[in-house]
């Protein structure tokens, strides 16, 4: 089956530092990946759509300079939270769209805690 | 907000009972999907129903879709303790962008 991995699974950082989260499709190519954030006991909110070889498309209200997205290859997208603050603490989940199937495959998520 | 709504927000039942969750959405859709999420984990895709379908089955899962009412329901029959999780509906309005519902937290007690 299609597998999407995320690294790291958990990260704790100090306020003001930057954190990079990787999302990889392990056994298929993904021209499009999506980044979501989820606060405790809440739903997933789409942050941005990551397209291989082009700039990401951000949802309304998401700061593109704070959440940098790079889709370097057909199997890797990265989300960098720049100058992280405690309010950025959240669960970040990526998903990858396999073109041959009308289905998104989700990564296991990354728990970010900013102290 | 385009986010869909689900009800109930929380549901507590005994093993063996059926669990029904409802989802309402706001815009036209290509398809509607249901996902399951165990606490603090990623999402598991359960079932997809296309906009021209009215009902779909997968094992103990039954999904209905009423596009005229912009609503869907997920029925889990003969529930098990292992079904305890949060369940989300998600609508695909095009370009594979998913809009998630608010979720239902299901607790199945032995």
């Amino acid at each position: 089956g299609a597998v999407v991995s995320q690294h790291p699974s958990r990260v704790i950082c100090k306020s003001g530092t930057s954190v990079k989260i990787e999302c990889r499709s392990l056994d298929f190519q993904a021209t499009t990946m999506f980044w979501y954030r989820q606060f405790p006991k809440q739903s997933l909110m789409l942050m941005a759509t990551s397209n291989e070889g082009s700039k990401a498309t951000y949802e309304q209200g998401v700061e593109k300079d704070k959440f940098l997205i790079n889709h370097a290859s057909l199997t890797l997208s990265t989300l960098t939270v720049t100058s992280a603050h405690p309010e950025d603490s959240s669960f970040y989940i990526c998903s990858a769209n396999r073109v041959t199937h009308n289905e998104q495959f989700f990564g296991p998520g990354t728990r970010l805690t900013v102290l | 907000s385009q986010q869909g709504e689900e009800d109930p927000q929380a549901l507590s039942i005994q093993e063996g009972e059926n669990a029904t969750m409802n989802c309402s959405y706001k815009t036209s859709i290509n398809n509607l999907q249901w996902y399951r999420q165990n606490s603090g984990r990623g999402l598991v895709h359960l079932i997809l129903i296309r906009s021209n379908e009215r009902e779909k089955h997968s094992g103990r899962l039954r999904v209905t879709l009423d596009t005229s009412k912009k609503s869907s329901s997920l029925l889990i029959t003969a529930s098990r303790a292992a079904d305890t999780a949060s369940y989300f509906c998600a609508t695909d309005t095009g370009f594979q962008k998913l809009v998630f519902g608010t979720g239902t937290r299901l607790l199945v007690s032995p």
Side-chain angles (χ1 to χ4, degrees):
Chain A
V3 178
V4 176
S5 70
Q6 280 185 243
H7 178 79
S9 57
R10 292 177 180 269
V11 56
I12 300 173
C13 68
K14 293 182 179 180
S15 186
T17 60
S18 294
V19 175
K20 180 185 283 188
I21 303 170
E22 292 185 350
C23 176
R24 292 181 185 273
S25 56
L26 297 185
D27 51 1
F28 66 99
Q29 293 184 332
T31 55
T32 304
M33 292 183 171
F34 301 89
W35 287 96
Y36 299 84
R37 69 186 296 181
Q38 183 181 32
F39 291 107
K41 296 188 178 181
Q42 293 189 27
S43 186
L44 281 75
M45 297 298 293
L46 179 65
M47 299 175 66
T49 303
S50 171
N51 299 297
E52 189 269 337
S54 64
K55 291 183 179 180
T57 304
Y58 291 82
E59 295 299 302
Q60 193 173 11
V62 178
E63 299 176 60
K64 62 180 181 181
D65 294 330
K66 179 163 187 64
F67 298 100
L68 301 179
I69 291 173
N70 183 271
H71 197 145
S73 74
L74 288 173
T75 59
L76 174 64
S77 175
T78 60
L79 168 68
T80 301
V81 183
T82 62
S83 187
H85 288 95
E87 57 265 30
D88 298 324
S89 297
S90 188
F91 194 52
Y92 292 88
I93 304 176
C94 73
S95 70
N97 184 48
R98 191 165 65 171
V99 177
T100 55
H101 293 69
N102 194 8
E103 181 180 343
Q104 284 185 31
F105 298 91
F106 284 80
T110 296
R111 172 96 37 213
L112 170 63
T113 303
V114 184
L115 303 177
Chain B
S1 170
Q2 295 299 310
Q3 188 171 40
E5 293 187 6
E6 291 181 57
D7 79 272
Q9 290 186 354
L11 179 60
S12 185
I13 59 175
Q14 299 288 109
E15 268 192 326
E17 295 180 339
N18 296 340
T20 299
M21 294 159 246
N22 302 296
C23 166
S24 61
Y25 57 92
K26 299 179 181 179
T27 63
S28 297
I29 62 172
N30 289 340
N31 63 69
L32 185 145
Q33 304 175 36
W34 284 90
Y35 289 85
R36 164 199 170 115
Q37 184 182 36
N38 287 81
S39 180
R41 307 287 293 274
L43 272 72
V44 174
H45 184 266
L46 294 177
I47 196 165
L48 179 152
I49 186 165
R50 302 184 194 284
S51 60
N52 62 352
E53 296 177 311
R54 292 296 167 260
E55 188 172 312
K56 204 161 184 179
H57 298 255
S58 177
R60 293 185 294 115
L61 305 180
R62 173 177 169 258
V63 168
T64 62
L65 179 64
D66 187 335
T67 53
S68 66
K69 296 181 179 179
K70 291 186 169 58
S71 67
S72 174
S73 68
L74 170 67
L75 168 68
I76 303 174
T77 60
S79 63
R80 306 165 182 167
D83 294 329
T84 295
S86 291
Y87 292 82
F88 295 93
C89 66
T91 51
D92 179 354
T93 58
F95 306 104
Q96 288 79 45
K97 282 177 63 171
L98 295 179
V99 176
F100 281 83
T102 49
T104 294
R105 294 192 304 279
L106 174 65
L107 173 63
V108 182
S109 301

